[in-house]
Every structure is written in structure tokens, then in C-alpha cells.
Amino acid sequence: MLIDTIAEGCRSEELRKRILQKDRSVEEIEEIGKSLEEVEQQIKDFTMVREEEHERGRVYKIQTHKQRKYTPASSNTAYARMNKDHLKCFKCGFSGHISSEAKCPARGKICNHCKRLGHFESQCRIRKSQSGDQTQTRPTSKKIRYVETTGRNVDSTSSEDVYSVEASEKEDSKKTYYAFYTGNDSNIIECEVGGVHIDMLVDSGAEVNLVSEAAWEVLKAKGVHVKVSEKGSKHVLKGYASDQPLVILGTFVADIVIGQKQAEAKFFVIKSGQRCLLGDSTAKELGVLKIGVNISQVDTTPKALSKINGLQIHIHMNHAVKPVFQPVRRLPVALEDAVNRKLDDLIKRDIIEEKKGPTSWVSPLVDVGKSNGEPRICLDLRRVNEAVLRERHPMPLIDDFLARVGGNMIRSKLDVMDSFLQLELDEESRDIMSFITSRGLLRFKRMPFGLVTAPEIFQKTMDSILAGCDGTWWYIDDIYIEGRNKSEHDSRLDKVG
């Protein structure tokens, strides 16, 4: 089957004939294929030599200086063979032959740099990177903005693909800035310049802001508000590796707004410019460009937990029950540091606070470990719950929810984070939630988990908040939103959010 596949798929008719003549092994077929390939290569070399000899015998018309320069229509290769004594081979670097000739010394040689066949390292088109351990293909279509400080005032034209800008008169005249633009438009940001919306490319390599001539005409047509403007400029814009300056049509100063930030910036209007550029200093001032080692770091500083504003919870107690002061429960030595860090975190998040002065009810602290190994701070409120007067708010039943399930509905579920802790306790109720630790007395400022009446209080609060939201039903901190179609579902979800 393998031999049949080779016979059917090979490109050489001669090899196919050899296979079909008699039964051969795969090794024999491989040897025949190699020999045929070498023969074909030799035939091509002989053909190339004959073509070269033929070209040498051709006579070309000598033109005068008044006539237009003309090369034979047959091929550019023939023209190169005529002048091979003056041209250098791009594979080996020597003159006297062209790259397609068999006598080229680089023919069949392997490049020491890219490891490819057919050229020397000195003629390799794959240049080494600065680190020396990686290779990069030479850029072919990059547009380069070259910024040079100078004091001349020139009014001539240059390439529209390259920019050069003098950043300030007071800067060192020998200082040179480079900015590379490879056609990547992923850094385009929508701005508002002088009250007109315009897209600009954030460029950390440009120290000034550039506006193309076409964009300037659009800004004027839309009534851009400019504070200061002038024609021309004493700054010089040059192309990279070019002495021909670009043309500065003028400059203007206007307010630029991105998001919620605003700044006053100066813009250069470039004749035949291709892209509006937001310079380094302006981009940093507006906060769209940030440089530093802390950019990708996440702020882990604890912040105060959100709470329901305008609401304080009062825990009603049966005063006939005598308050109980329970002693501290010792924690394992291995857990003390972790528990203390957790208590500090709760203090910073405004969930607990230090208890000052006398108190009546004191509960012990209980550490319940989480699955990830972190401690969970809980209180043993069994003695407190004996004196708590419950509000007896009606709680939803599972049958109520099952009756809603069914039909072709789109549903979403929301979960309130740290639900009970978002309810703030009044001053009297905070003393009831006091607890003792090895570091002294602390008390909860928010409604803790474990309080017997906490689910009823939270359900009552959610009933008052979500009343009037169609297609929404909830059980304590779980909220369900449904709709008959996506638009209805999304509108109800936005209303709850």
C-alpha cells in the first residue's frame, strides 16, 4: 500500500515508470528517487550554462544620453548577466557572476547564522537581534518617526511616511528621539480635541502631538475650539535618515478630553500626514499611558465593606434573661497568627471594632477553617440567641419557587456578597455582639452570621429593596431574575442592578 501511494503521488514520471516495471522495496525506490533528483539538477545546471553562453552572444543597442534607458524585454536576469563584472552576487558577495550560476561559491553552502542553504553569513538577510540569541526578519514596511532638535526654519517637503519633530528650543541640539510605527492600530483611542471627536494613536515615542492635514480640515469643518493658533512653525520636522524636512502647516493649542480627564495640549499640523498621534507627555497627563513596575500589580489593601445606607439594625432582647459573660477560648498556637491577621483585616474593612468600656453580653470566638486553609471568624451565639426576640418575618417556601419554574424563560442568578455583614448595627446592638479574644474585647459593627434572627431581618430588608421589580424573586441573599426574551430579561436585570 505504501509503494502504491508513492507511485500515485510522486511528481516524477520516470520514477513512476521504474516502480511499475517490477516489484521493488521502499529502500530501492528511495535510492532511485535520489539519483533521479541529482540527474535533474545536473540537467538544469547544463541548461543554465547554455543560456548564459547564448546571452553573451547577443548584441544590445547602445543608446545616447538623449534616449531613454532600456533593458532587454526578455528578462532582467539577462541584463544582470551582461553587467555581472560590475555587480555583486547577493548570495556570496563576490562579483564576476550572478547568483543563479553554478560557479557561485555559496551554491550548496549552509549559512552559519540562519542555517539555510544557498548563501553565506555575510549576505544573510536575517539579521541578529541585539541580544544575539534571537533572530528577527528585517522590517520592510515600517514607518519611522524621527525627532530631532534644531533651530532652523525650513519650508520644504519630504516623505509622508516618516515624521521628525523638534520637542523644544531649550533642549540639547544634539539630542535625538526615535519613534517607530509598524502599522499597529490597536492603540487608537477616541479623544475630544477642542470639542470635536477624533481618533488618535497613542505613541510613547513621540514627544509632541501630531495632526494630519486631512484631520485638521475635518476639525475646522466641525468648528473646533482653538485657544491659540499660528501658521508654520520654527520647529523642524525631518524624515528618518533624510535631510529633507517635512512641512509644518501650523500649530494650535486646544483642550483635549479623554474619558473624565482633560488637559491643554499643543498640536502640530503635518502636511500629507497619515496618522494623528498622541504624544508621550500628553498621554501620560491624561492617564492613558502609564510606565512603571507597579502597572500590573493589584492593590490588595483592605477597603471598607459596603453597607446599605440609611439603615441600622436593632436587635430586640428579652431583658428578663440575665446577660452572660463567657470566658475566652484558647486557640491552637499554630492558628494564632492567622486569626490575628484575620481580625486586623475585619477591623480595616469596618466590620468589627475594639470594645471600650463595660459590657453585658460577651461571646467566645470560634475559628472554623475554610477549605483553602484560611480561618473563618465565627461567634458562639447560642447563649445570646436564647434572649433574642425574633421578628417572625415570613420566609419564602420552596413550593413558591418551584411554582415559578417552567416555561420558556431566560433566567439569571445574583448572589449578594457578605450579605449579613452589609447591615449595620445600632450602638446598643453592637454591645450585644461583643466577643472576647486573647487580645481583648472586640465587637461587631455589622450583623454577624449565627444570629438567630439574622435571616429574617435580611429577608425583610430585601423585600423592601426589591419590591416592585417584575420577574424578580429572592431568598435571603440569592436573587433570581427571569424574562420571556432577552430584551425583557436584560431590562429587568438592569433595574435590579
Side-chain angles (χ1 to χ4, degrees), residues 61 77 166 266-267 301 333 352 360 366 398 428 434 480 494:
K61 182 180 178 181
T77 305
E166 178 195 10
K266 184 177 182 179
F267 298 85
T301 304
V333 177
I352 65 175
S360 53
V366 180
I398 187 63
E428 182 180 350
S434 299
Y480 298 86
D494 293 339

Side-chain angles (χ1 to χ4, degrees), residues 369-374 376:
K370 296 182 180 180
S371 58
N372 58 4
E374 294 184 1
R376 177 186 282 112

Side-chain angles (χ1 to χ4, degrees), residues 189 202 258-263 278-291 295:
I189 188 170
V202 180
I258 298 179
Q260 302 296 325
K261 293 189 176 182
Q262 178 177 340
L278 186 63
D280 177 80
S281 58
T282 305
K284 290 179 179 177
E285 185 177 359
L286 292 171
V288 297
L289 180 63
K290 297 181 180 180
I291 305 296
I295 299 302

Side-chain angles (χ1 to χ4, degrees), residues 39-98:
V39 171
E40 291 178 0
Q41 183 62 40
Q42 292 178 2
I43 293 174
K44 289 182 180 179
D45 294 341
F46 293 151
T47 304
M48 189 177 300
V49 172
R50 288 197 300 269
E51 289 180 355
E52 180 185 351
E53 293 176 352
H54 176 70
E55 292 293 340
R56 289 176 180 175
R58 294 185 63 177
V59 179
Y60 295 88
K61 182 180 178 181
I62 300 177
Q63 300 172 341
T64 64
H65 67 281
K66 295 182 179 180
Q67 295 175 322
R68 186 180 61 177
K69 193 173 182 179
Y70 173 79
T71 58
S74 57
S75 66
N76 291 329
T77 305
Y79 180 75
R81 291 194 180 103
M82 287 182 58
N83 298 274
K84 62 184 179 181
D85 293 335
H86 306 286
L87 300 177
K88 290 186 178 181
C89 174
F90 67 87
K91 290 187 177 181
C92 67
F94 299 104
S95 59
H97 66 276
I98 59 176

Side-chain angles (χ1 to χ4, degrees), residues 8 13 35 41 78 93 126 137 211 261 312 352 360 400 409 417 434 478:
E8 181 179 357
E13 293 292 337
S35 62
Q41 183 62 40
I126 308 298
T137 303
V211 176
K261 293 189 176 182
Q312 284 192 338
I352 65 175
S360 53
D400 298 336
M409 307 291 284
M417 182 183 67
S434 299
D478 294 323

Side-chain angles (χ1 to χ4, degrees), residues 142-146 178-183 201 203 205-206 240:
K142 286 190 176 180
K143 304 170 187 177
I144 305 176
R145 290 180 294 276
Y146 166 78
Y178 294 89
F180 299 93
Y181 171 48
T182 60
L201 178 68
D203 185 2
Y240 179 75

Side-chain angles (χ1 to χ4, degrees), residues 170-187:
K170 298 181 180 179
E171 293 182 351
D172 185 3
S173 60
K174 296 182 179 180
K175 187 176 181 180
T176 303
Y177 304 91
Y178 294 89
F180 299 93
Y181 171 48
T182 60
N184 180 18
D185 290 340
S186 61
N187 293 337

